[in-house]
Amino acid sequence: MKDPDHGDKPSESGASAAGRSEGRMGASRGGKGKRRRRKPSGSPSAIASGSGPSGEAGRPAALNEAEPSRKRKRRRRSKSARPQDQSAASGASAPASDAALSDKRGAQKRNRKARHRRGLQGRPLASASNPTTNLRPGRPGERSGDAPRPRSGEAAAQQQARPERLGAPFVAPGEPPAPLYAALDLGTNNCRLLIAQPTRPGQFRVVDAFSRIVRLGEGLGASGRLSEDAMERSVEALKVCAAKLGARSIRRRRLIATEAARAAANGEAFMNRVAEETGLELEIIDRETEARLAVSGCSSLVDRETRSVVLFDIGGGSSEIAVIRIGENRSSRLANHITHWTSLPVGVVTLSERHGGEHVTPQSFEVMVREVEAMLAGFESPSVDALASGSYGGGFHLIGTSGTVTTLAGVHLDLPRYDRRRVDGLWLSDDEVSAMQARLLSWDFAARAANPCIGPDRADLVLAGCAILEAIRRRWPSSRMRVADRGLREGLLTDMMADDGAWRRGRPRRHQRSFGSPQAGEERVKRHEGTDA
């Protein structure tokens, strides 16, 4: 029926009748003869704890209907764990109930976020505020800026009882630990360190590395002595190396010094100073040993089908050249196949100091090339025709291991930043090498210094290295050259591991887990602060 005053609005009696009818229908649809009891819509308890279709208090019906069932079940479980005396608060005033409801929802939201932020086995992930840089040496994935994770009870006691070894490799239960070897090379331009462990036969994995330009031979050609500033820079770099060596249990190590210490009048006195201030005993090696170590370091870059190679190492104060001829019976040590070798008393530092390295013209560049050619003229070695033909033919090429050739490779690849993984083992054709040398010669000092593969520390040295390389290419023309970002350190490690029989034990590969990204020849480095001179 209609109310005459309100048109289509139901009358009070009709509304109550409709409510009773709806209640009866709800009871009949509820099943099992149970009737739902409805509270008056105006009571405060209905506002604070009105139940929805799922019978859940504290949430509007529309939210419960739109919410997934798994969330409603989770909420019911959390409610059942609360003390029963909290139900007495349902009759509180509306503002207090709203505040309690808001706090409850905020807590549930935080709990859900905490659950989502848990990692494997329920361990909380690192806070977003913690820095994610500065890897701690020897601890893959751990950051030096992170505070130690709090431990409790037995775990903390075990952690204190077990001393921590930086950089210790993973070892399977019941197997002996893989040994660590160290090699240090103090050259005319660089101070370099490698710490590695053997993997597969003839190969190793670098655990830690260090390289810094010290220019020990600065001014040596003019005075014949090591300058005080150069010695101070070298001692500071060697202190860093000593700290790295002292932080690990090294099975065997060999520390060498080359041309600068060998040629200087005060070279022996400098070695004594190094021993007093750093505790490192360095050995000054002769030129033949230096040539053999350079060959040993590049063994894995000589292919099986190669029969003859001319390998050269352009250093800061000297340049070593070795002629390698491989017959049918290849030795495990490539240095055993050296037939001729020489060491030129010229390097990138000495040559640039004599002719100037900052402002190089095509004329001055040619003068440097002619000087090195005159030194090579006295070296008796097989001709290119003899190396590329006969029983030794079928695989002659050049191998360059120095900062000069790695710089050329980086410029050729147009790298935004030097990347050893892309440079080591790269093949360059004869035309590509000529094009890169011409490109560098066309740049002024500022352009060379701005190149990311050269930098300001090497901008005055790279063209002197190119002049030595050009003289070698004229003496032994080859259609291709292989680039090796390795040298004396790798040769030292290879020889020490071979002498100890480290590869005869058949040590499984599962011993080592990644300490860095894979690199050519299964060798890895953590950081490349400067290429060899």
Side-chain angles (χ1 to χ4, degrees):
M1 60 180 294
K2 294 183 180 182
D3 190 350
D5 297 331
H6 297 86
D8 293 336
K9 181 179 179 180
S11 64
E12 295 297 333
S13 59
S16 59
R20 287 192 300 270
S21 175
E22 183 180 353
R24 287 193 298 269
M25 292 175 63
S28 62
R29 286 195 299 267
K32 299 183 181 180
K34 294 182 180 180
R35 296 181 60 184
R36 292 183 181 176
R37 299 181 60 187
R38 300 184 60 189
K39 295 181 179 180
S41 58
S43 63
S45 60
I47 297 175
S49 60
S51 61
S54 59
E56 192 172 331
R59 290 178 60 85
L63 293 179
N64 282 326
E65 291 176 355
E67 188 178 46
S69 59
R70 59 185 179 84
K71 291 188 177 181
R72 294 199 301 270
K73 292 179 180 179
R74 188 183 302 150
R75 188 175 295 106
R76 286 199 298 270
R77 287 197 298 268
S78 64
K79 283 185 57 180
S80 62
R82 293 186 303 175
Q84 296 296 328
D85 57 352
Q86 292 184 1
S87 60
S90 60
S93 61
S97 300
D98 291 342
L101 180 60
S102 176
D103 293 343
K104 172 186 172 183
R105 290 176 181 173
Q108 291 173 349
K109 186 176 181 180
R110 288 192 297 271
N111 290 338
R112 287 198 298 272
K113 286 185 177 180
R115 283 194 293 270
H116 293 324
R117 287 166 51 84
R118 290 186 179 272
L120 297 177
Q121 300 180 1
R123 293 191 297 268
L125 301 180
S127 173
S129 61
N130 289 341
T132 58
T133 57
N134 301 327
L135 279 172
R136 182 177 299 177
R139 296 291 300 274
E142 188 170 353
R143 318 293 179 179
S144 60
D146 292 346
R149 180 179 299 169
R151 299 174 181 270
S152 59
E154 184 179 356
Q158 292 177 356
Q159 180 68 16
Q160 294 177 359
R162 183 174 63 252
E164 191 175 66
R165 289 183 56 194
L166 293 178
F170 171 80
V171 179
E175 296 181 358
L180 293 178
Y181 293 81
L184 185 146
D185 169 26
L186 178 61
T188 305
N189 194 47
N190 283 50
C191 176
R192 299 170 291 259
L193 171 71
L194 280 184
I195 301 176
Q197 54 185 181
T199 55
R200 297 185 298 179
Q203 298 174 357
F204 56 84
R205 181 169 304 167
V206 174
V207 175
D208 200 359
F210 174 79
S211 178
R212 178 180 295 178
I213 295 177
V214 296
R215 297 212 177 197
L216 178 61
E218 185 177 46
L220 177 62
S223 64
R225 298 178 60 87
L226 302 175
S227 67
E228 186 64 30
D229 291 341
M231 290 189 291
E232 186 66 28
R233 291 193 300 266
S234 301
V235 168
E236 291 301 318
L238 290 171
K239 288 180 180 179
V240 178
C241 297
K244 287 179 175 290
L245 291 172
R248 290 177 169 82
S249 177
I250 307 297
R251 176 173 181 175
R252 189 175 176 186
R253 65 183 183 178
R254 190 175 180 187
L255 320 177
I256 65 170
T258 56
E259 181 64 22
R262 188 166 56 219
N266 57 343
E268 289 290 346
F270 175 62
M271 293 296 101
N272 296 332
R273 175 182 173 181
V274 169
E276 293 175 0
E277 297 189 22
T278 67
L280 301 179
E281 298 285 345
L282 270 64
E283 165 195 3
I284 301 178
I285 61 173
D286 56 30
R287 291 178 176 175
E288 180 179 0
T289 302
E290 189 172 353
R292 292 182 64 87
L293 289 174
V295 172
S296 297
C298 299
S299 298
S300 60
L301 292 183
V302 179
D303 297 333
R304 287 291 177 182
E305 61 273 12
T306 300
R307 291 293 174 262
S308 56
V309 172
V310 172
L311 186 145
F312 57 91
D313 180 7
I314 303 175
S318 65
S319 298
E320 283 66 43
I321 303 172
V323 178
I324 304 168
R325 306 176 75 171
I326 305 172
E328 296 299 330
N329 298 323
R330 177 169 177 168
S331 172
S332 59
R333 298 194 182 191
L334 187 64
N336 294 338
H337 295 287
I338 298 176
T339 60
H340 302 76
W341 72 274
T342 187
S343 179
L344 306 179
V346 64
V348 296
V349 176
T350 55
L351 193 62
S352 64
E353 287 182 351
R354 283 202 295 266
H355 297 275
E358 292 189 7
H359 306 289
V360 181
T361 64
Q363 293 76 20
S364 61
F365 181 80
E366 184 63 25
V367 171
M368 289 190 287
V369 175
R370 295 288 179 87
E371 180 179 339
V372 180
E373 281 185 314
M375 297 179 184
L376 286 174
F379 176 44
E380 296 182 0
S381 67
S383 63
V384 176
D385 294 337
L387 293 174
S389 62
S391 59
Y392 294 100
F396 168 71
H397 63 83
L398 300 174
I399 292 182
T401 165
S402 65
T404 299
V405 293
T406 56
T407 298
L408 285 174
V411 174
H412 168 70
L413 296 174
D414 198 19
L415 298 177
R417 181 181 179 184
Y418 186 86
D419 187 352
R420 182 184 187 272
R421 295 170 295 179
R422 298 186 59 184
V423 169
D424 188 42
L426 179 70
W427 288 98
L428 292 176
S429 67
D430 185 64
D431 293 339
E432 289 172 339
V433 176
S434 299
M436 290 303 102
Q437 288 187 164
R439 184 179 178 185
L440 292 179
L441 192 57
S442 67
W443 291 351
D444 58 8
F445 177 80
R448 296 194 301 271
N451 187 277
C453 295
I454 302 176
D457 292 334
R458 298 182 50 81
D460 59 334
L461 306 177
V462 63
L463 287 177
C466 288
I468 300 174
L469 171 61
E470 179 62 23
I472 294 173
R473 293 173 63 219
R474 292 180 184 180
R475 174 67 184 271
W476 293 281
S478 176
S479 60
R480 57 180 185 158
M481 179 184 73
R482 195 164 198 187
V483 179
D485 188 353
R486 56 186 73 193
L488 302 185
R489 296 173 299 170
E490 289 80 3
L492 291 169
L493 292 172
T494 300
D495 286 353
M496 286 187 291
M497 293 176 185
D499 291 341
D500 286 355
W503 293 308
R504 291 199 299 266
R505 297 189 178 95
R507 193 177 299 277
R509 293 185 64 190
R510 66 180 297 186
H511 270 293
Q512 294 84 16
R513 290 186 176 175
S514 60
F515 291 90
S517 51
Q519 304 193 9
E522 282 290 319
E523 300 172 6
R524 304 185 180 200
V525 295
K526 282 190 170 182
R527 190 176 180 183
H528 192 288
E529 297 183 3
T531 55
D532 296 348

